[in-house]
Amino acid sequence: MTENAPGSLAYQDGNVLAGPLAEVFSLDLTTALTTCVGCGRRAPVAMLQVYPGGPGMVARCACCHDVVLRFVRTSTAAYLDLRGTVSLAIPLGGDM
């Protein structure tokens, strides 16, 4: 866990998404580059601030704190909401 300002929720870095996303995708998505809708920041998923409480995980931009992605897994399906992402660039083995 990361220390945050008093009264704010604690978050973990985007690496915490590696296990849940690996259940759905065969690639390591923590190295994929996201582009935030809110501020345009381009950064790896691993650099997002992930709040794992509740029914799923909410990942926020480390710069503007807008929600970039949400991931929820139920007994019958996995849901990945990318509304806060302009694009998700997934490395396929070469340099990006």
Side-chain angles (χ1 to χ4, degrees):
M1 287 276 181
T2 302
E3 291 293 323
N4 294 317
S8 67
L9 296 174
Y11 66 86
Q12 298 172 331
D13 70 35
N15 285 305
V16 73
L17 292 167
L21 292 176
E23 294 177 17
V24 180
F25 298 97
S26 62
L27 300 168
D28 178 9
L29 290 185
T30 61
T31 62
L33 294 176
T34 62
T35 303
C36 176
V37 168
C39 69
R41 180 177 189 243
R42 187 173 170 162
V45 170
M47 298 296 291
L48 297 174
Q49 297 175 342
V50 180
Y51 298 84
M57 300 176 140
V58 175
R60 294 182 173 273
C61 175
C63 185
C64 72
H65 306 290
D66 280 2
V67 174
V68 174
L69 68 84
R70 296 168 188 88
F71 182 79
V72 177
R73 187 173 189 277
T74 68
S75 61
T76 59
Y79 299 88
L80 181 60
D81 177 350
L82 295 170
R83 275 181 275 184
T85 303
V86 172
S87 65
L88 182 67
I90 302 168
L92 299 175
D95 291 338
M96 288 190 64

